[in-house]
Amino acid sequence: QVQLVESGGGLVQAGGSLRLSCAASGNIFSTNVMAWYRQAPGKQREMVATITSGGSTDYLDSVKDRFTISRDNAKSTAYLQMNNLKPDDTAVYYCQHRQRLRVYWGQGTQVTVSS
């Protein structure tokens, strides 16, 4: 089992920045993928960014050049630096950890961007 604890959400004005953190604990294998997803009210959950244990990244088109995903493998922690936030970024952000065909989710953290 893997447990994920997210932090860093909050309320910010448009154009502002937030940094989300996701700390993983438990039975973590060295080869894994960590990701951030988000779900806005009335919408489907969507992938925002992913990062492999080797450092390869992928992003949702609408957040490229604004968001940066990173990780500290020694701390089993992933981060999402979000800059130039827009009201459309308002959502609950979830951390995901994938390893050995298993998927684990965090509890989610609310990000609200006011115009």
Side-chain angles (χ1 to χ4, degrees):
Q1 287 291 329
V2 174
Q3 296 77 41
L4 303 173
V5 177
E6 299 133 333
S7 60
L11 173 64
V12 65
Q13 288 188 331
S17 298
L18 284 174
R19 188 193 194 207
L20 306 182
S21 298
C22 174
S25 62
N27 190 20
I28 298 169
F29 291 97
S30 57
T31 301
N32 61 72
V33 177
M34 296 191 77
W36 289 96
Y37 283 70
R38 68 186 181 187
Q39 187 167 20
K43 294 187 177 181
Q44 288 190 328
R45 191 173 295 190
E46 61 181 357
M47 185 278 289
V48 176
T50 67
I51 185 166
T52 68
S53 46
S56 296
T57 59
D58 192 19
Y59 293 92
L60 179 69
D61 283 347
S62 63
V63 308
K64 286 180 180 178
D65 301 324
R66 298 189 298 122
F67 290 10
T68 302
I69 190 170
S70 61
R71 62 188 291 164
D72 183 335
N73 288 333
K75 296 181 179 179
S76 297
T77 300
Y79 306 95
L80 185 67
Q81 178 66 43
M82 304 185 293
N83 298 328
N84 190 22
L85 282 159
K86 303 176 180 180
D88 284 349
D89 295 319
T90 295
V92 178
Y93 283 70
Y94 295 92
C95 178
Q96 184 199 73
H97 179 97
R98 304 197 297 264
Q99 64 180 34
R100 301 279 177 105
L101 301 180
R102 292 202 169 194
V103 180
Y104 302 91
W105 291 95
Q107 79 284 359
T109 186
Q110 178 70 46
V111 171
T112 302
V113 185
S114 63
S115 57

